Amino acid sequence: MSVEGHYLGMPLRIEALDQENLAYFRHCAAHAFHLQRCASCRLVRYPPTTGCPWCGDPEAVWTAVEGRGAVYTYAEVHHAIQPAFKNHLPYLSLIVELDTQKSVPTEHDALRVAGNLAALDGALAPPDLVAKVGIGTRVRMVFKDVAAGLAVPLWTLDEASPQPADPWRYPERGQA
Ligand SMILES: [Zn+2]
């Protein structure tokens, strides 16, 4: 069965045939972060796919993964490409490197999970929070409920982790 709902006024829909994303977002709806662990090589992968990117085995088991890591890179969005985001500008779109499986299977590999920066309640982060976050900032996952079987995973500041004193940010316009 497909799942659909509205997020910030935008329609979201996962088709019935998309079993991997249905399972992924069903876990999100339970506010639990789960990824597929390959039955053969035991590596965890993201995003959800039908086969292991390392060994090709289609068999996998959904496994609880800690939704915690550091900002690997980000984009600060100032021009909304969807009207839904217009009232939330600027917002921060993050790629977060998980603590789980970092530098495995090689030093260049990691689980890097996309998501926007949010406040604790899952609303897109206000400008003062957006201005504080940069590369290296410690974040944890939160969820915004959309519909039965569908919640959007987002990132918020991890209050339990020590933060870098000066997380790297792109130079502001007008600065040298
Ligand atoms: Zn594998």
Side-chain angles (χ1 to χ4, degrees):
M1 213 176 86
S2 65
V3 166
E4 57 191 336
H6 280 83
Y7 175 62
L8 301 177
M10 283 186 302
L12 299 182
R13 182 180 167 90
I14 308 172
E15 299 299 337
L17 282 175
D18 190 352
Q19 290 299 319
E20 288 76 22
N21 276 304
L22 283 172
Y24 176 73
F25 285 102
R26 198 183 308 123
H27 285 117
C28 290
H31 292 201
F33 182 47
H34 279 58
L35 294 176
Q36 293 157 292
R37 181 183 294 283
C38 175
S40 180
C41 73
R42 312 293 298 159
L43 289 172
V44 175
R45 62 182 184 256
Y46 173 88
T49 59
T50 52
C52 176
W54 287 284
C55 77
D57 192 322
E59 297 300 322
V61 176
W62 288 96
T63 307
V65 173
E66 193 182 25
R68 221 171 219 110
V71 174
Y72 180 75
T73 189
Y74 72 91
E76 188 171 309
V77 182
H78 286 261
H79 297 277
I81 57 165
Q82 287 274 359
F85 288 90
K86 212 169 170 179
N87 294 329
H88 302 283
L89 296 173
Y91 68 90
L92 223 49
S93 185
L94 306 177
I95 302 284
V96 171
E97 187 159 287
L98 300 185
D99 297 337
T100 299
Q101 205 173 287
K102 194 172 155 69
S103 302
V104 177
T106 77
E107 61 179 315
H108 306 292
D109 287 304
L111 294 166
R112 299 186 185 115
V113 177
N116 290 333
L117 182 70
L120 277 177
D121 63 358
L124 287 177
D128 61 325
L129 184 53
V130 166
K132 274 209 291 206
V133 170
I135 290 170
T137 299
R138 298 284 313 170
V139 290
R140 67 179 177 88
M141 193 171 272
V142 290
F143 299 93
K144 183 72 178 171
D145 295 322
V146 171
L150 178 57
V152 176
L154 299 145
W155 295 103
T156 196
L157 277 188
D158 183 2
E159 311 85 347
S161 284
Q163 294 290 348
D166 194 13
W168 192 89
R169 288 179 54 84
Y170 291 101
E172 300 291 334
R173 220 180 325 175
Q175 289 183 357

